[in-house]
Amino acid sequence: MTDLTSDEQLLADLGVESEVESQSTGSARELRIIAGFEEIEKFVERNKYPPAHGEDKDIFERIYAVRLDRIRSSAECLNILKDKDRFGLLRGYEVQGEIEADKSLENDEDILADLGVIPNNESDITKLKHVRTREEIRMAEEFAKRTPCLDFDKFKPLFKEVQRELKSGTRETHSFKRNNTVSLGDLFILGGQLTYVADMGEEYMADYGMKNRKLRVIYDNGTESDILLNSFVRALYKDTSSRRIESNKLGPLFSGIVEESDETSGTIYVLRSKSDHPFISKSRDVIHKIGVTRNKVETRILNAELDPTYLMAEVDIVATYELANLNRARLENIIHKFFKSVQLKIEIKDRFGNPIVPKEWFLVPLFIIDEAVERIKDGSIVNCEYDPKQGKIIEFKKKSK
């Protein structure tokens, strides 16, 4: 057995490098400032970015961010740390005014107070566990105050309809961050539950000049809560799986005739492949590519034989439908969702031998596509689905009350 004669030898055998701390000179206060700054530098070294503010940040990162702000605004600190800034965190922050001691740098309790954090009984900041801000506690209390919704029968059909529309694709979900507003009648998924904003109180000015208002929020489990708008928004942000539910209903997207005053937005095009692939050759008449373009279709399909999107073959244009004043990308998404059940799954090799699975080809007859476009025009497509077994578009069956 090796004779371990010192702690340093033990650390070496364990593969742990030990550093001999250099003896620093200066007052105890200066050493505390230097040590506090070194903690920030260790954070930067570990994470490759300076600490940032934000309720979604770790408590220690938030402390370091506030501490760094105070250091940058302190002539005393800038003077002490001017030759110790390894990462340029203080670059551009000049020493101004007289160098006076800043008592706010004595400990982290003031920083915690600024962050609205209520520490536990432990005096050591490194022992904080499950720390919650005052705002987080208030939010939790509001959500805990859910009560049975006495008139839930009025909202139950809405939740059932939304679930059906989500399943059919006539409603879809998006990240709340993409549109972070909350309005009367909005629908969300929060905490895994369908959530409906049934009522909004009068707007008032809350603390720190922030506008706020009371909401009546109904949940699909038959409960409701009276929650502040700002707390509800923060809950949607905090829940990483929260979603906004939006309707895909288009209404009358475009008329059969484009008027001179209309702005032409593009064209729905339907293509048929000339590929000699065995499966394509066998079912050529019912295999179609459906897309939307703002340019001429003839221009879009140039060099189709070199593009796996077009099955590496020339194509025929079999139908076009001119559009006006609508969102092309959204329309194309709806068409593809409508025919998703008959999407062609075929692997094509590109010019370099890489396997590609094109996503805009469908096993659907042309007359069905014609009917789908007509239903898009009058908005009735939201009440329909394509049934490949029957080979036709059918309307959803209305449930008897």
Side-chain angles (χ1 to χ4, degrees):
M1 179 181 292
T2 305
D3 183 17
L4 302 179
T5 58
S6 67
D7 289 340
E8 288 78 10
Q9 181 64 46
L10 176 60
L11 290 171
D13 285 359
L14 291 171
V16 178
E17 296 182 2
S18 60
E19 295 181 0
V20 179
E21 293 187 5
S22 59
Q23 297 297 318
S24 301
T25 60
S27 68
R29 176 177 172 74
E30 288 178 352
L31 294 178
R32 284 198 300 272
I33 291 173
I34 292 170
F37 186 65
E38 286 177 346
E39 286 182 7
I40 296 172
E41 289 191 311
K42 287 177 183 177
F43 175 91
V44 175
E45 190 170 29
R46 183 170 60 252
N47 296 280
K48 311 303 180 187
Y49 65 86
H53 300 282
E55 290 185 4
D56 59 330
K57 303 296 183 182
D58 177 89
I59 183 64
F60 294 102
E61 180 173 356
R62 294 167 67 187
I63 289 173
Y64 295 151
V66 174
R67 185 189 296 168
L68 182 58
D69 287 345
R70 291 185 175 182
I71 288 172
R72 286 169 169 171
S73 63
S74 167
E76 177 195 18
C77 292
L78 293 174
N79 186 59
I80 293 171
L81 301 170
K82 60 185 177 182
D83 297 322
K84 304 180 185 298
D85 184 12
R86 290 190 293 145
F87 299 106
L89 299 173
L90 308 180
R91 192 174 299 139
Y93 295 86
E94 299 178 358
V95 177
Q96 296 179 355
E98 297 182 9
I99 299 176
E100 298 180 355
D102 184 354
K103 292 184 179 180
S104 68
L105 292 159
E106 289 294 335
N107 55 55
D108 286 323
E109 290 183 6
D110 291 336
I111 294 178
L112 288 171
D114 285 353
L115 291 171
V117 172
I118 304 172
N120 59 16
N121 292 328
E122 299 282 356
S123 59
D124 186 353
I125 182 61
T126 63
K127 295 181 181 178
L128 284 175
K129 294 182 179 180
H130 309 299
V131 175
R132 295 193 300 174
T133 66
R134 293 187 180 92
E135 186 60 37
E136 287 170 333
I137 291 173
R138 185 159 58 246
M139 284 172 57
E141 289 173 346
E142 286 184 324
F143 275 96
K145 291 177 182 176
R146 291 189 190 182
T147 57
C149 180
L150 300 180
D151 57 345
F152 186 66
D153 287 344
K154 184 170 69 176
F155 301 102
K156 193 173 181 179
L158 168 66
F159 288 121
K160 286 188 174 181
E161 180 69 9
V162 170
Q163 288 174 333
R164 186 186 67 76
E165 290 180 346
L166 284 171
K167 187 176 180 180
S168 69
T170 55
R171 283 187 189 267
E172 56 187 23
T173 65
H174 298 286
S175 169
F176 176 69
K177 293 180 181 179
R178 194 175 90 167
N179 175 8
N180 61 4
T181 60
V182 174
S183 303
L184 182 65
D186 279 355
L187 287 152
F188 302 94
I189 297 174
L190 177 60
Q193 289 185 296
L194 289 181
T195 307
Y196 175 64
V197 181
D199 195 15
M200 302 185 78
E202 291 294 323
E203 189 175 79
Y204 66 91
M205 196 65 68
D207 296 337
Y208 309 110
M210 295 180 64
K211 295 179 180 179
N212 212 345
R213 59 174 60 185
K214 272 281 188 180
L215 304 181
R216 184 193 182 196
V217 178
I218 312 296
Y219 305 91
D220 66 352
N221 66 349
T223 62
E224 67 173 274
S225 67
D226 292 326
I227 184 171
L228 290 175
L229 170 62
N230 293 341
S231 297
F232 186 62
V233 168
R234 278 190 286 271
L236 287 164
Y237 268 111
K238 197 169 185 64
D239 181 1
T240 55
S241 61
S242 69
R243 306 288 288 174
R244 173 187 293 278
I245 301 173
E246 296 182 348
S247 174
N248 254 339
K249 292 184 178 180
L250 296 175
L253 278 176
F254 55 93
S255 60
I257 301 174
V258 179
E259 301 291 341
E260 290 183 3
S261 59
D262 287 341
E263 178 186 349
T264 301
S265 297
T267 303
I268 296 177
Y269 61 87
V270 182
L271 308 178
R272 190 171 291 162
S273 177
K274 294 183 178 181
S275 171
D276 58 2
H277 187 284
F279 183 79
I280 303 296
S281 300
K282 180 181 177 181
S283 310
R284 196 182 309 278
D285 290 344
V286 292
I287 296 177
H288 295 104
K289 183 182 189 301
I290 310 172
V292 181
T293 181
R294 65 179 298 177
N295 301 314
K296 288 184 177 181
V297 181
E298 291 80 4
T299 302
R300 189 174 181 86
I301 64 175
L302 287 175
N303 301 316
E305 67 276 11
L306 304 177
D307 191 340
T309 302
Y310 298 96
L311 308 180
M312 300 295 291
E314 293 182 352
V315 293
D316 286 326
I317 303 171
V318 294
T320 59
Y321 313 88
E322 194 170 3
L323 317 181
N325 302 326
L326 62 117
N327 185 308
R328 291 184 301 276
R330 187 180 176 198
L331 172 65
E332 187 172 62
N333 183 48
I334 289 171
I335 294 173
H336 292 171
K337 277 189 175 182
F338 188 75
F339 288 120
K340 187 175 182 180
S341 62
V342 289
Q343 185 179 45
L344 180 66
K345 294 179 175 61
I346 186 171
E347 186 178 285
I348 299 293
K349 297 289 181 66
D350 66 12
R351 288 179 294 165
F352 307 101
N354 299 314
I356 304 292
V357 179
K359 296 182 179 180
E360 296 184 357
W361 291 85
F362 303 89
L363 278 160
V364 58
L366 181 59
F367 74 90
I368 295 292
I369 300 173
D370 285 334
E371 182 182 348
V373 172
E374 290 302 314
R375 288 185 175 275
I376 289 173
K377 290 179 182 179
D378 61 25
S380 65
I381 196 169
V382 299
N383 300 313
C384 303
E385 64 183 352
Y386 177 58
D387 185 343
K389 291 182 179 179
Q390 298 186 53
K392 64 180 182 179
I393 295 173
I394 59 175
E395 294 189 359
F396 296 127
K397 292 181 180 179
K398 294 183 179 179
K399 296 180 180 179
S400 57
K401 295 183 179 179

